[in-house]
């Protein structure tokens, strides 16, 4: 067994090669972050190994800085392991009481960690190519974080053009409402729409959730609306919706997954969930995904004091992007799917706070997502 530890940085990488007998085959050496440096690393590995050796290469997850070298290692057929920096930090501290952290030390630590930790899962080509989807969904997440500004970009012209709309629908940010406003960007346009066409448009966009009753309600409200007829504001509204949809369509093209058959999970949220989880083969069970998302209860025990399960807080140490996506998806799944809606109601009836009850529903959703991804079968509600 030959283990290669790489400490990744922006302009250079520090590398260390260790054998299973503890022999240092190549003390820490530095390569530039370019093609010449990558070739130097590969030649050094080959010079230190034999064809029969099993080679493991490890590096920390450092975002975009590690993307190129990971692709290089995978293309060369090397078993590559991408390790959580928190994991390596804890491992380094376990080796010494001294507070020591340098790039050279980190390269040694990663190599030693690879040698000792048999539970690490190798990074796959699927996970590597998933990075593009993750990059896209995280870009959208960063935009969604500015929630007030994003909502204003839609709600501001709606308040002028058709102010009664927000009181009729749960939220403006639904596919059916976006479709409605794209074609009829204002009360006057909706008021003049043919009821049959309005009903068909809403039914198709909402997958049957809205029908003739909603179409009638919207048209009646539009005919009595105090909204202004302002073509410039209508154009602004249509343009904003078109920009959002363009980003959504890019995400949609990257994703083919049965989790989008779960009512309430659209392509945007589904893409974020899949992108953050990555390769499902890395996880032996849905509980591992919950832990990765920081949604597992923390455990604390010392002497007679024990704190775990229902009385402890969630760890919240995993992917905040995944945690955000799962919680928001759960809200909509509970709204649209009877099985999840009943489950949430049951937890609320037990006296649990809404957020606590929602966290239980989110865990149920993770187990469902895991099962669908493993079976590749569409979701069928039993309710």
């Amino acid at each position: 067994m030959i283990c290669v530890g790489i400490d990744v940085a922006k302009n250079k990488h520090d590398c260390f090669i260790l054998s299973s007998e503890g022999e240092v085959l190549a003390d820490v050496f530095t390569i530039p972050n370019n093609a010449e440096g990558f070739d130097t690393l590969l030649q050094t590995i080959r010079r230190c190994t034999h064809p029969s050796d099993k080679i493991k290469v490890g590096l920390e997850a450092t975002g975009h800085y590690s993307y190129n070298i990971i692709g290089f290692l995978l293309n060369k057929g090397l078993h590559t392991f991408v390790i959580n920096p928190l994991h390596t930090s804890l491992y380094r501290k376990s080796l010494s009481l001294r507070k020591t952290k340098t790039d050279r030390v980190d390269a040694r630590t990663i190599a030693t960690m690879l040698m000792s930790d048999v539970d690490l899962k190798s990074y796959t080509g699927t996970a590597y190519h998933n990075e593009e989807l993750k990059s896209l969904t995280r870009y959208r997440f960063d935009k969604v974080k500015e929630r007030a500004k994003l909502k204003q970009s839609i709600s501001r012209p709606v308040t002028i053009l058709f102010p009664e709309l927000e009181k009729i629908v749960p939220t403006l940010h639904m596919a059916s409402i976006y479709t409605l406003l794209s074609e009829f960007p204002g009360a006057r346009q909706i008021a003049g729409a043919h009821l049959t066409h309005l009903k068909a448009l809403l039914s198709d966009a909402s997958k049957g959730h809205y029908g003739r009753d909603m179409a009638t309600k919207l048209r009646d409200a539009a005919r009595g609306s105090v909204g202004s007829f302002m073509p410039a504001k209508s154009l602004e509204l249509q343009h904003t919706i078109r920009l959002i949809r363009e980003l959504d369509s890019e995400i949609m093209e990257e994703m083919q997954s049965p989790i989008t058959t779960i009512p309430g999970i659209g392509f945007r949220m589904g893409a974020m969930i899949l992108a953050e989880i990555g390769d499902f083969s890395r996880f032996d069970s849905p509980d591992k995904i919950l832990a990765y998302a920081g949604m597992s209860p923390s455990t604390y025990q010392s002497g007679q004091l024990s704190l775990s399960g229902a009385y402890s807080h969630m760890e919240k140490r995993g992917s905040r992007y995944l945690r955000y996506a799962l919680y928001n998806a759960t809200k909509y799944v509970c709204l649209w799917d009877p099985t999840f809606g009943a489950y949430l109601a049951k937890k609320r009836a037990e006296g649990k706070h809404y957020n606590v009850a929602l966290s239980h529903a989110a865990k149920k959703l993770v187990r469902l997502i895991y099962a669908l991804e493993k079976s590749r079968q569409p979701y069928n509600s039993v309710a």
Side-chain angles (χ1 to χ4, degrees):
M1 174 74 70
I2 305 298
C3 292
V4 183
I6 304 175
D7 184 76
V8 174
K10 180 178 180 180
N11 298 316
K12 53 92 178 178
H13 308 313
D14 291 291
C15 313
F16 179 79
I17 304 178
L18 181 70
S19 73
S20 53
E21 289 77 24
E23 180 186 359
V24 176
L25 301 179
D27 205 350
V28 180
F29 60 97
T30 302
I31 61 169
N33 186 19
N34 56 32
E36 183 180 349
F38 292 179
D39 288 336
T40 299
L41 172 61
L42 183 62
Q43 292 169 13
T44 305
I45 293 174
R46 288 175 174 170
R47 189 167 59 248
C48 296
T49 60
H50 298 92
S52 60
D53 290 335
K54 183 178 180 181
I55 303 171
K56 295 165 69 175
V57 184
L59 62 162
E60 286 184 336
T62 53
H64 58 285
Y65 290 144
S66 59
Y67 190 72
N68 292 329
I69 192 166
I70 290 174
F72 175 81
L73 295 169
L74 291 174
N75 287 336
K76 298 302 178 182
L78 295 170
H79 288 288
T80 305
F81 297 77
V82 179
I83 308 169
N84 190 319
L86 177 62
H87 199 173
T88 56
S89 176
L90 293 172
Y91 186 80
R92 183 177 62 252
K93 291 175 183 177
S94 72
L95 298 177
S96 173
L97 294 177
R98 297 180 61 191
K99 188 176 181 180
T100 305
K101 187 194 184 306
T102 66
D103 294 341
R104 296 174 67 85
V105 169
D106 284 348
R108 289 174 177 268
T109 300
I110 293 170
T112 308
M113 190 175 180
L114 283 176
M115 194 65 68
S116 61
D117 197 339
V118 295
D119 293 330
L120 292 174
K121 297 293 181 72
S122 62
Y123 199 75
T124 64
T126 301
Y128 177 76
H129 293 297
N130 190 67
E131 290 294 330
E132 187 172 356
L133 179 58
K134 181 185 289 187
S135 175
L136 191 60
T137 55
R138 285 194 175 186
Y139 169 78
R140 183 182 179 278
F141 175 84
D142 290 337
K143 300 306 174 187
V144 172
K145 279 200 308 183
E146 303 171 12
R147 202 65 180 172
K149 184 177 179 180
L150 178 65
K151 285 186 175 181
Q152 284 175 2
S153 65
I154 295 292
S155 64
R156 185 174 58 249
V158 168
T159 300
I160 297 171
L161 300 167
F162 189 8
E164 296 82 4
L165 179 61
E166 289 189 271
K167 298 177 182 178
I168 299 174
V169 297
T171 174
L172 295 177
H173 307 289
M174 298 190 299
S176 54
I177 302 305
Y178 281 0
T179 301
L180 172 71
L181 295 175
S182 292
E183 185 166 344
F184 304 108
R188 180 177 293 190
Q189 293 90 331
I190 295 174
H194 194 283
L195 187 60
T196 301
H197 177 64
L198 201 59
K199 177 254 180 185
L201 182 146
L202 288 170
S203 180
D204 290 344
S206 66
K207 298 180 180 179
H209 188 71
Y210 293 139
R212 187 178 187 85
D213 289 345
M214 177 57 77
T216 303
K217 190 174 183 179
L218 286 172
R219 194 175 69 167
D220 289 347
R223 287 176 173 176
S225 175
V226 297
S228 302
F229 178 66
M230 299 180 66
K233 286 296 178 185
S234 294
L235 182 63
E236 176 188 333
L237 178 61
Q238 289 175 310
H239 184 256
T240 302
I241 292 173
R242 186 161 60 249
L243 288 176
I244 293 173
R245 282 181 159 178
E246 284 177 4
L247 181 57
D248 290 347
S249 66
E250 290 181 39
I251 295 174
M252 193 183 305
E253 290 173 2
E254 294 288 334
M255 184 180 63
Q256 295 292 330
S257 169
I259 76 167
T260 56
T261 62
I262 302 174
I265 295 186
F267 284 101
R268 286 173 291 173
M269 201 58 69
M272 179 173 279
I273 292 171
L274 292 178
E276 292 303 321
I277 293 176
D279 189 351
F280 276 76
S281 65
R282 296 188 301 146
F283 302 95
D284 299 328
S285 69
D287 289 340
K288 296 287 182 66
I289 296 178
L290 287 170
Y292 177 66
M295 296 170 62
S296 295
S298 57
T299 301
Y300 180 84
Q301 183 175 1
S302 179
Q304 295 182 355
L305 176 64
S306 178
L307 184 64
S308 63
Y311 298 101
S312 59
H313 296 288
M314 284 192 177
E315 292 176 341
K316 293 188 178 179
R317 297 183 70 176
S319 168
R320 65 188 179 96
Y321 296 99
L322 178 57
R323 194 162 56 247
Y324 162 87
L326 289 172
Y327 272 114
N328 279 273
T330 303
K331 292 178 184 178
Y332 286 102
V333 172
C334 289
L335 180 65
W336 290 75
D337 182 73
T339 302
F340 277 86
Y343 184 78
L344 181 65
K346 175 189 170 188
K347 292 298 178 182
R348 293 286 284 140
E350 293 173 0
K352 290 180 169 58
H353 186 277
Y354 174 77
N355 289 338
V356 176
L358 189 68
S359 71
H360 282 275
K363 292 175 183 178
K364 180 180 174 71
L365 179 61
V366 169
R367 294 184 176 96
L368 173 61
I369 289 172
Y370 186 83
L372 294 182
E373 279 297 314
K374 288 294 184 180
S375 67
R376 305 302 298 176
Q377 297 298 314
Y379 172 64
N380 290 310
S381 176
V382 296

